[in-house]
Amino acid sequence: ASNRLAYAAAQEVAGAFSAPQPVFNPLFVHGNGGLGKTHLLHALSWEVEQRKPEAQGLYLTAERFMSGFVQALRARDALAFKEKLRKIDILLIDDMEFLQGPTIQQEFCHTLNSLIDGGRQVVVAADRAPTHLDKLDTRMRSRLGGGLVAEIGAMEYELRHKILQKRAQEACAETRGLNVSDTV
């Protein structure tokens, strides 16, 4: 229940992927570490691939985006890097709070604008809402918050218990002689 909005938004993005204009663009998901943001991004990417196999998607952490851009600058191949990013159908960026440096932020903002203006989907995850990403400039925070912002909250006890039960059942099925009691 605590993640109903984020889950519904991810389903909507995957379901409306072939629509002319994405419904929530960008979709920005935020929450504390370990609550499932990366899992949600991977699941969304997988679902898009199942629904539209010809779609070109790209999942990157902010660190890998920065590293790729710096390598392209060193190799004097920044234009090819930019073009590669701008031709994809869905860009998923994780750990946005780590995107640093004015040049890299500016390039990311240009890429973001190009994708959104071109009707391509952008999904971003971070540990806090875009308005609280102090290392990003105001324009970038505004653009990231311009779509749907959904918070990932802590799972309630019942859901955590169900996940543990399922994992225990799977482990018992895979490992002969293993028995995990309900008490454990």
Side-chain angles (χ1 to χ4, degrees):
S2 61
N3 297 316
R4 191 172 288 137
L5 175 61
Y7 177 70
Q11 284 186 312
E12 185 66 30
V13 166
F17 189 72
S18 52
Q21 278 296 108
V23 181
F24 307 124
N25 207 10
L27 170 58
F28 191 99
V29 180
H30 69 95
N32 291 332
L35 295 181
K37 298 178 302 292
T38 300
H39 178 80
L40 185 65
L41 264 59
H42 283 290
L44 176 54
S45 177
W46 184 87
E47 185 65 26
V48 166
E49 188 177 314
Q50 296 306 304
R51 290 177 184 231
K52 193 173 181 184
E54 70 277 8
Q56 290 187 17
L58 181 62
Y59 168 89
L60 291 172
T61 61
E63 182 180 0
R64 287 194 63 203
F65 176 85
M66 291 186 304
S67 173
F69 183 63
V70 168
Q71 287 175 358
L73 286 176
R74 285 185 185 149
R76 301 188 191 285
D77 204 12
L79 187 58
F81 178 80
K82 294 174 187 183
E83 289 304 312
K84 176 186 172 190
L85 287 175
R86 293 175 183 174
K87 288 182 180 179
I88 60 172
D89 297 304
I90 181 168
L91 176 64
L92 302 109
I93 297 286
D94 205 354
D95 299 325
M96 188 65 181
E97 66 273 14
F98 296 120
L99 191 72
Q100 297 179 14
T103 304
I104 291 172
Q105 285 184 26
Q106 183 179 23
E107 185 53 45
F108 182 80
C109 195
H110 290 311
T111 299
L112 183 70
N113 288 335
S114 176
L115 290 170
I116 291 172
D117 294 345
R120 293 176 171 88
Q121 182 68 54
V122 177
V123 182
V124 179
D127 65 356
R128 54 195 172 276
T131 55
H132 294 112
L133 293 173
D134 300 332
K135 291 181 181 177
L136 300 182
D137 68 32
T138 306
R139 183 179 59 151
M140 176 82 91
R141 288 188 301 230
S142 174
R143 189 65 161 157
L144 289 171
L148 178 66
V149 176
E151 184 175 7
I152 299 280
M155 293 180 283
E156 49 280 329
Y157 174 81
E158 292 79 21
L159 180 56
R160 291 193 321 264
H161 188 253
K162 285 179 183 178
I163 290 170
L164 285 173
Q165 279 180 321
K166 183 175 187 234
R167 294 234 172 132
Q169 288 171 353
E170 289 171 352
C172 290
E174 292 174 3
T175 307
R176 188 172 162 172
L178 178 65
N179 185 19
V180 180
S181 69
D182 286 339
T183 305
V184 171

